[in-house]
Amino acid sequence: MNEPVSVFRALHHGRPPGDPLVLPGPWDAASARAFEDAGFPALATPSAGVAASLGHGDGHTPAAEMFAAVARITRAVSVPVSADVEGGYGLAAEELVERLLEAGAVGCNLEDSAGGVLLEARRQADRLAGVRAAAGGRLFVNARVDTYIRGVPAGTDVVGETLVRARLYAAAGADCVYPIAAPAGDLPRLAAAVPVPLNANGTPDGPSDARRLGALGAARVTFGPLLQRRAADAVRGLAERLRGA
């Protein structure tokens, strides 16, 4: 099996409580190098952060540009890189896997909503199974569960619906599940009931937040576009100081 993906997969397992895998989200080659130089063992690109760096709105990056950006990031570093490829850009599983591997990615995020609406769970599970089969173990598949950001039908328990989806996706071969924006208080219940590692959202305010999420059950912590946005804020502050000089 491909060594980088084996290394990446192993990083998610056997972690003690309070010590989750922290994956910064680079948006270009320079940020990727900065995170590698800081000692992080792997990285995970955020689609919204990459979109902003390319001048696109979130969810509006053409597939060719996204894969090219991922390739620039993977070439810039020696650590494994997973790629957020949103819903997969309408590509068949085989082509999606081929393009991810060509870009040098060891994994991918795939979300279960489109146009702001949740997809039917079994349909998404079939999609994940197809990607897993096409990858043949060469990609780590992180299945995003969008119940918290897209909403569930009135009267539906959001944790219960999240668990239904997470278990289906794990059974379909997902290596990890990502209930994006799940409140910290829901993490213990989710982590206890899902047979694969759990990805939680962190804040870029220091290691204590990641440790807290790890203690609640998260095996992996990512930041979405928050790091890119903090960097953009820093550039704006610099620009204002230069303008005022």
Side-chain angles (χ1 to χ4, degrees), residues 35-134:
F35 293 134
E36 181 182 33
D37 290 347
F40 289 97
L43 308 173
T45 69
S47 61
V50 172
S53 75
L54 297 173
H56 298 294
D58 186 17
H60 295 284
T61 305
E65 291 191 42
M66 183 63 76
F67 288 114
V70 171
R72 288 191 292 272
I73 289 169
T74 64
R75 287 196 302 264
V77 296
S78 60
V79 297
V81 178
S82 182
D84 182 352
V85 289
E86 303 175 300
Y89 308 111
L91 300 174
E94 294 78 8
E95 184 176 357
L96 177 62
V97 167
E98 180 181 354
R99 295 184 73 170
L100 281 162
L101 294 174
E102 286 177 348
V106 300
C108 64
N109 276 16
L110 285 170
E111 58 198 47
D112 68 348
S113 65
V117 178
L118 286 170
L119 299 173
E120 198 277 321
R122 291 191 181 277
R123 171 185 165 196
Q124 179 67 1
D126 289 344
R127 165 79 160 155
L128 292 167
V131 170
R132 180 66 186 227

